[in-house]
């Protein structure tokens, strides 16, 4: 399932800026940046990672809803749009790196045309932080989604059955 900036679609970015462990950078999304297919502005960073490293990437902005995506060296992608359970629109992606190599981080927004300043940081994940551990590229995820279209106490939800069909 893709959400927020189409889960920050994969884009090769030869002009990706280097980002080092422990570094915090400030950036701006706007008209001078590249754009993703749906019109979201995006900045790209690269990080040299080692297998087994536990990292936390954070992106914060008071001006727009942030989305982070991390492209793994083998082409797989982990993306985050507020998954950390935070009450705001900042993003955090905690991950255990599956292999040595160059990782590309995409800093973008939830919707097209959102602009403003942001901060981006990478640090070693604290021991108490649960991290995503990417599986092999052959892994598949299945989900069962059940919706109820008729309620006695409220107006019906007319599109529940169509939404379920779209997900199948």
């Amino acid at each position: 399932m893709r959400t927020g900036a189409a889960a920050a679609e994969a884009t090769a970015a030869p002009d990706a800026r280097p980002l080092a462990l422990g570094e915090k950078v400030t950036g701006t999304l706007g008209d001078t940046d590249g754009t993703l297919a749906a019109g979201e502005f995006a900045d790209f960073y690269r990080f040299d990672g080692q297998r087994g490293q536990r990292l936390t990437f954070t992106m914060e902005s008071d001006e727009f809803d942030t989305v982070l995506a991390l492209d793994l060296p083998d082409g797989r992608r982990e993306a985050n749009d507020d998954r950390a359970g935070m009450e705001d629109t900042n993003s955090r992606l905690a991950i255990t790196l599956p292999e040595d190599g160059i990782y590309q981080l995409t800093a973008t927004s939830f919707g097209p045309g959102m602009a403003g300043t942001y901060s981006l940081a990478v640090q070693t994940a604290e021991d108490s932080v649960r991290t995503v551990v990417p599986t092999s590229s052959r892994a598949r995820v299945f989900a069962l989604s059940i919706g109820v279209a008729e309620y006695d106490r409220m107006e019906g939800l007319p599109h529940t059955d169509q939404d379920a069909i779209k997900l199948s």
Side-chain angles (χ1 to χ4, degrees):
M1 177 166 71
R2 301 180 75 166
T3 63
E9 71 212 23
T11 304
D15 59 341
R17 293 175 257 174
L19 184 66
L21 182 60
E23 185 175 9
K24 183 174 185 175
V25 298
T26 301
T28 303
L29 291 182
D31 294 350
T32 60
D33 291 314
T35 57
L36 303 179
E40 301 89 355
F41 300 121
D43 287 339
F44 303 97
Y45 297 86
R46 67 180 180 277
F47 178 82
D48 187 15
Q50 306 301 312
R51 182 178 194 269
Q53 263 185 306
R54 291 173 31 88
L55 302 173
T56 301
F57 294 91
T58 56
M59 182 179 181
E60 300 177 346
S61 177
D62 293 329
E63 299 173 37
F64 62 91
D65 188 354
T66 64
V67 173
L68 274 176
L70 184 68
D71 292 317
L72 284 59
D74 67 3
R76 290 180 290 153
R77 166 165 285 207
E78 290 293 332
N80 174 277
D81 173 38
D82 317 323
R83 257 194 300 190
M86 296 181 272
E87 296 295 322
D88 53 33
T89 58
N90 296 324
S91 298
R92 182 181 75 187
L93 178 60
I95 186 170
T96 299
L97 300 183
E99 61 187 294
D100 294 348
I102 304 296
Y103 290 76
Q104 180 177 286
L105 189 65
T106 302
T108 189
S109 64
F110 184 78
M114 291 182 174
T117 59
Y118 65 87
S119 66
L120 179 68
V122 58
Q123 60 190 24
T124 300
E126 296 178 11
D127 291 338
S128 62
V129 173
R130 291 181 61 191
T131 63
V132 171
V133 181
T135 59
S136 76
S137 60
R138 292 186 303 262
R140 295 174 61 192
V141 176
F142 294 92
L144 174 62
S145 177
I146 300 172
V148 178
E150 295 181 23
Y151 291 95
D152 292 334
R153 295 181 294 170
M154 63 188 304
E155 293 295 320
L157 301 173
H159 302 294
T160 304
D161 53 346
Q162 290 99 353
D163 290 342
I165 291 168
K166 287 178 189 175
L167 292 174
S168 63

